[in-house]
Amino acid sequence: MPTGALVDLDVPQGVDLPAWAVPAEPVVARAALRSLVAAVLRSAGVRASDATLSSDVLVLADARGHPSHGVSRLRQYVRLVESGSVSGQPTPRVISRRAALELWDADHAMGP
């Protein structure tokens, strides 16, 4: 994995993607797509680190053949942040701790 990368964006060798996941259109470089998605999220008010992580996850979903969980969700995420349903600047905190369990309040953070 490249230095500084949060998520391995490579599709494992030998994985057969379903026909619907093979692009008929020109392919966009992952790095460019990740940058674009992160910039859109940041412009909506998402913290830079959360925007980067979320863009990595969305692009990874597309790269691995799951477009329903990929960049197509970007518009929905932006609307949720702009409406206040999802916090662009959350402050997650631990509510309680037990021997093998922690309960967190994610403060309406983005899913990824």
Side-chain angles (χ1 to χ4, degrees):
M1 185 167 11
T3 303
L6 296 174
V7 179
D8 176 10
L9 297 177
D10 292 326
V11 176
Q13 293 295 325
V15 171
D16 291 324
L17 295 177
W20 55 263
V22 178
E25 300 294 319
V27 176
V28 176
R30 288 183 198 162
L33 186 56
R34 284 192 341 250
S35 294
L36 173 67
V37 171
V40 169
L41 291 171
R42 282 194 312 272
S43 72
V46 175
R47 181 183 300 127
S49 59
D50 293 344
T52 299
L53 177 62
S54 295
S55 69
D56 284 348
V57 170
L58 294 176
V59 172
L60 175 63
D62 282 334
R64 295 231 169 127
H66 301 286
S68 62
H69 289 71
V71 177
S72 65
R73 294 269 182 219
L74 181 58
R75 180 180 296 178
Q76 180 182 8
Y77 275 127
V78 168
R79 286 180 180 160
L80 290 168
V81 171
E82 289 177 344
S83 73
S85 294
V86 169
S87 175
Q89 306 286 321
T91 307
R93 62 190 178 94
V94 176
I95 301 295
S96 68
R97 286 191 172 107
R98 307 272 170 134
L101 176 73
E102 279 189 350
L103 176 62
W104 282 74
D105 174 351
D107 192 27
H108 301 282
M110 300 210 24

